[in-house]
Amino acid sequence: MICIEARGLRKAYGTTIALDGVDLRVEEGRILGLIGPNGAGKTTALNAILGLTPYYGELKVLGRDPWAERDLLMRDVCFIADVAVLPRWVRVSHALDYVAGVHPRFDRAKAESLLAKTAIKRASKVRELSKGMVAQLHLSLVMAIDAKLLVLDEPTLGLDILYRKQFYQRLLEDYFDEDKTIVITTHQVEEIEHILTDVMFIRDGRIVLESAMDDLGNRYAEVLVNADRLDPARALMPIDERALPFGKTVMLFDGAPRAQLAELGETRVPGLADLFVAVMKGTYA
């Protein structure tokens, strides 16, 4: 089943083009990383998917038009923004009461179970919690809703590394299954690389790379090239290169024959962050 499908998605703010003819397709049961620099169009794309902004083009989310059918759509969609906003005066127990009262698919017992894995006390007010604990509370509330699509916009922004790792671990263990879809935007590429099934790079409102994670290793290769092999390596048209100490150079190739690359030096699958940097330099894709 297709969870999200867009064709020619376009959004402008005055003379600024935020989305420029975006086509995308996200299948059910996938974890998509939507990655791009500031101002690339990530948040605008998410806002369109969530029915928070009008747009031009075709867009269906869970078979619905998000702008025209937002009320119905949000029964099956949850969203965590880049800042987990909860009223500072509210107690944890009252937050549970509120969500239970407004969302028909909220499972209070599950939320209580998730909170039991944290140090959060039911009587505590939000203002008494650390930023990491607020994120844990927000995630516990959201994961207790039986939603088909979870959208996360920089969900761990400002958290320390321990809380960030716990956040994504709990997401996998307590929420994700083959019937649910997750879309994540983040600048912390290395920390989500291992959980993604698919990735899209967005630049200047356009999708410049779209791939299943399993396919990246077949298409791209990184080679540690010795100084005496630089000329034949450059003849294979690397999409990026960077110098290392002791005369070594790392080059990144797209679709080059593996047998030829093996003759140049040690080969490996590039990290998602290195691939992202290469694409965002603007000389490629």
Side-chain angles (χ1 to χ4, degrees), residues 64-276:
R64 299 186 185 279
D65 178 332
W67 182 246
E69 303 175 88
R70 186 172 190 272
D71 288 347
L72 291 173
L73 178 65
M74 294 311 292
R75 297 178 185 179
D76 293 312
V77 178
C78 283
F79 174 49
I80 297 182
D82 56 354
V83 178
V85 178
L86 291 170
R88 289 178 54 79
W89 51 264
V90 76
R91 295 188 186 276
V92 173
S93 59
H94 295 161
L96 290 165
D97 293 339
Y98 176 77
V99 181
V102 300
H103 206 297
R105 295 190 180 180
F106 180 70
D107 183 341
R108 177 153 189 160
K110 182 175 182 179
E112 295 276 9
S113 175
L114 293 168
L115 285 173
K117 300 176 182 179
T118 74
I120 298 172
K121 298 177 180 179
R122 307 299 180 275
S124 296
K125 293 184 177 181
V126 168
R127 67 167 172 260
E128 298 168 343
L129 304 178
S130 68
K131 188 167 185 178
M133 294 172 80
V134 172
Q136 287 180 323
L137 172 57
H138 202 162
L139 184 62
S140 296
L141 294 171
V142 166
M143 290 198 305
I145 296 172
D146 185 22
K148 296 178 181 177
L149 172 63
L150 177 59
V151 178
L152 306 173
D153 187 7
E154 296 282 359
T156 59
L157 190 67
L159 301 185
D160 64 37
I161 188 169
L162 178 60
Y163 277 117
R164 295 200 302 266
K165 287 187 175 296
Q166 289 176 348
F167 182 95
Y168 290 118
Q169 190 64 32
R170 290 183 64 200
L171 198 63
L172 289 179
E173 292 178 355
D174 298 322
Y175 177 81
F176 182 68
D177 61 40
E178 62 184 11
D179 297 321
K180 292 181 170 67
T181 304
I182 301 175
V183 177
I184 307 172
T185 71
T186 183
H187 287 86
Q188 294 150 346
V189 179
E190 299 94 336
E191 294 180 12
I192 66 166
E193 182 173 359
H194 69 288
I195 73 169
L196 299 180
T197 63
D198 301 87
V199 65
M200 291 182 186
F201 291 167
I202 185 169
R203 182 182 66 198
D204 299 328
R206 298 179 181 180
I207 302 297
V208 294
L209 184 146
E210 178 179 1
S211 176
M213 290 296 292
D214 290 343
D215 294 337
L216 289 180
N218 296 325
R219 177 176 173 182
Y220 297 98
E222 201 170 59
V223 184
L224 186 61
V225 183
N226 291 322
D228 61 346
R229 304 294 291 161
L230 289 178
D231 288 340
R234 287 175 177 146
L236 293 177
M237 303 296 291
I239 65 173
D240 189 45
E241 67 175 82
R242 62 185 188 277
L244 297 179
F246 309 112
K248 299 282 188 177
T249 301
V250 175
M251 295 188 181
L252 200 157
F253 295 87
D254 178 4
R258 294 306 171 97
Q260 289 181 259
L261 295 181
E263 296 175 356
L264 301 174
E266 177 188 343
T267 64
R268 61 195 178 198
V269 176
L272 196 59
D274 291 332
L275 182 58
F276 173 74

Side-chain angles (χ1 to χ4, degrees), residues 6 8-13 16-24 34 39-49 53-56 59 202-207:
L9 194 63
R10 182 178 171 84
K11 176 69 179 181
Y13 298 97
T16 301
I17 305 299
L19 296 174
D20 191 6
V22 167
D23 296 332
L24 63 86
L34 181 61
K42 302 186 301 296
T43 298
T44 301
L46 295 190
N47 285 342
I49 289 168
T53 188
Y55 49 82
Y56 293 99
L59 177 61
I202 185 169
R203 182 182 66 198
D204 299 328
R206 298 179 181 180
I207 302 297

